[in-house]
Amino acid sequence: MPGHLARRFQQIAVAVFLAEVEAAGFDLTPVQYAALAAIAANPSIDQITLAGLIAYDRTTITGVIDRLAQKGLVVRQASARDRRSRELLITAEGRRTLDAITPAVEAAQRLMVRGLSDAEARELVRLMQKAIAAGNELSRAPLREGASER
């Protein structure tokens, strides 16, 4: 069944990601990595927009940002456009971490599909993107327009 296979692949993907990142000397979860990368690519993004960009629940993104801030990787600042909103910025340490962790993340991505040829891996990703796009609005945390899958 596709749901069971998706859950199993997610379990494997998280385990591989965590192992590779830890072996490289880092302490980031896949969601923390996705958030850090999105903040780096979108300086001054607000938390709600960030949640949509990485398809993460708006109410629990705060905890992800809290942990990134505690690690000194991001900072929150008051928005110049809307005082009720907080903007997120990557710190110099966050940028160094993102740059240094990239080889481990790339290794994890290759390891996740190690049983497939390059062509099969590309086809798997294409089919996953197609299925996700078709079911996006069924999710409790849909990917928002203009965002890309990480």
Side-chain angles (χ1 to χ4, degrees), residues 34-45 53 90 95 98 148 150:
L36 187 62
I39 293 165
N42 300 279
S44 298
I45 191 171
L53 280 176
I90 190 168
R95 173 59 63 196
L98 193 57
S148 62
R150 299 222 174 267

Short mmCIF file of all heavy atoms in Angstrom, two decimals, residues 34-45 53 90 95 98 148 150:
data_model
loop_
_atom_site.label_atom_id
_atom_site.label_comp_id
_atom_site.label_asym_id
_atom_site.label_seq_id
_atom_site.Cartn_x
_atom_site.Cartn_y
_atom_site.Cartn_z
N ALA A 34 15.62 21.97 6.94
CA ALA A 34 14.75 22.59 5.93
C ALA A 34 14.42 24.04 6.30
O ALA A 34 14.45 24.93 5.44
CB ALA A 34 13.46 21.79 5.77
N ALA A 35 14.14 24.27 7.57
CA ALA A 35 13.83 25.63 8.02
C ALA A 35 15.05 26.54 7.87
O ALA A 35 14.93 27.66 7.37
CB ALA A 35 13.35 25.62 9.46
N LEU A 36 16.21 26.06 8.29
CA LEU A 36 17.43 26.86 8.19
C LEU A 36 17.74 27.21 6.74
O LEU A 36 18.05 28.36 6.41
CB LEU A 36 18.60 26.11 8.83
CG LEU A 36 19.91 26.87 8.97
CD1 LEU A 36 19.74 28.10 9.87
CD2 LEU A 36 21.00 25.95 9.51
N ALA A 37 17.62 26.24 5.85
CA ALA A 37 17.88 26.48 4.43
C ALA A 37 16.87 27.47 3.85
O ALA A 37 17.23 28.36 3.06
CB ALA A 37 17.84 25.16 3.65
N ALA A 38 15.60 27.35 4.25
CA ALA A 38 14.57 28.27 3.75
C ALA A 38 14.80 29.69 4.27
O ALA A 38 14.60 30.67 3.54
CB ALA A 38 13.18 27.77 4.13
N ILE A 39 15.22 29.81 5.52
CA ILE A 39 15.50 31.14 6.08
C ILE A 39 16.69 31.76 5.37
O ILE A 39 16.69 32.96 5.06
CB ILE A 39 15.74 31.04 7.61
CG1 ILE A 39 14.44 30.65 8.32
CG2 ILE A 39 16.27 32.37 8.17
CD1 ILE A 39 14.63 30.17 9.75
N ALA A 40 17.71 30.96 5.09
CA ALA A 40 18.88 31.47 4.36
C ALA A 40 18.49 31.96 2.97
O ALA A 40 19.00 32.99 2.51
CB ALA A 40 19.95 30.39 4.26
N ALA A 41 17.60 31.24 2.32
CA ALA A 41 17.18 31.60 0.96
C ALA A 41 16.16 32.74 0.93
O ALA A 41 15.94 33.35 -0.11
CB ALA A 41 16.60 30.38 0.26
N ASN A 42 15.53 33.01 2.09
CA ASN A 42 14.46 34.02 2.16
C ASN A 42 14.67 34.90 3.39
O ASN A 42 13.90 34.82 4.36
CB ASN A 42 13.09 33.34 2.25
CG ASN A 42 12.80 32.46 1.07
OD1 ASN A 42 12.40 32.93 0.03
ND2 ASN A 42 13.03 31.15 1.23
N PRO A 43 15.70 35.75 3.38
CA PRO A 43 15.97 36.59 4.56
C PRO A 43 14.74 37.40 4.97
O PRO A 43 13.97 37.86 4.12
CB PRO A 43 17.10 37.51 4.09
CG PRO A 43 17.72 36.81 2.92
CD PRO A 43 16.61 36.01 2.28
N SER A 44 14.54 37.53 6.25
CA SER A 44 13.44 38.29 6.85
C SER A 44 12.08 37.63 6.65
O SER A 44 11.04 38.28 6.77
CB SER A 44 13.42 39.73 6.35
OG SER A 44 14.62 40.38 6.72
N ILE A 45 12.07 36.34 6.38
CA ILE A 45 10.81 35.61 6.24
C ILE A 45 10.13 35.54 7.60
O ILE A 45 10.79 35.52 8.63
CB ILE A 45 11.09 34.19 5.67
CG1 ILE A 45 9.80 33.49 5.26
CG2 ILE A 45 11.88 33.35 6.67
CD1 ILE A 45 10.04 32.19 4.50
N LEU A 53 6.38 27.36 3.27
CA LEU A 53 7.48 27.02 2.35
C LEU A 53 8.02 25.61 2.57
O LEU A 53 8.46 24.97 1.62
CB LEU A 53 8.63 28.02 2.50
CG LEU A 53 8.50 29.35 1.81
CD1 LEU A 53 9.69 30.24 2.14
CD2 LEU A 53 8.38 29.17 0.30
N ILE A 90 19.10 34.26 9.31
CA ILE A 90 20.15 33.31 9.62
C ILE A 90 21.34 34.09 10.18
O ILE A 90 21.64 35.20 9.74
CB ILE A 90 20.54 32.49 8.36
CG1 ILE A 90 21.46 31.32 8.74
CG2 ILE A 90 21.14 33.37 7.29
CD1 ILE A 90 21.63 30.31 7.62
N ARG A 95 24.87 30.28 8.90
CA ARG A 95 25.40 30.19 7.53
C ARG A 95 26.56 29.19 7.47
O ARG A 95 26.63 28.35 6.58
CB ARG A 95 25.85 31.58 7.06
CG ARG A 95 26.55 31.61 5.73
CD ARG A 95 25.79 31.08 4.57
NE ARG A 95 24.60 31.85 4.31
CZ ARG A 95 23.61 31.43 3.54
NH1 ARG A 95 23.66 30.26 2.95
NH2 ARG A 95 22.55 32.17 3.36
N LEU A 98 25.11 25.70 7.80
CA LEU A 98 24.44 25.30 6.56
C LEU A 98 25.45 24.91 5.50
O LEU A 98 25.30 23.87 4.83
CB LEU A 98 23.54 26.44 6.07
CG LEU A 98 22.53 26.12 4.98
CD1 LEU A 98 21.60 24.99 5.39
CD2 LEU A 98 21.74 27.37 4.63
N SER A 148 9.15 25.21 -2.94
CA SER A 148 9.60 23.98 -3.58
C SER A 148 9.83 22.91 -2.53
O SER A 148 10.11 23.21 -1.38
CB SER A 148 10.89 24.24 -4.35
OG SER A 148 11.90 24.63 -3.46
N ARG A 150 11.73 20.21 -0.42
CA ARG A 150 13.12 20.10 0.05
C ARG A 150 13.49 18.66 0.18
O ARG A 150 12.80 17.81 0.46
CB ARG A 150 13.27 20.79 1.39
CG ARG A 150 12.94 22.23 1.28
CD ARG A 150 13.92 23.09 2.04
NE ARG A 150 13.63 24.47 1.79
CZ ARG A 150 14.20 25.18 0.85
NH1 ARG A 150 15.11 24.69 0.09
NH2 ARG A 150 13.89 26.43 0.68
#
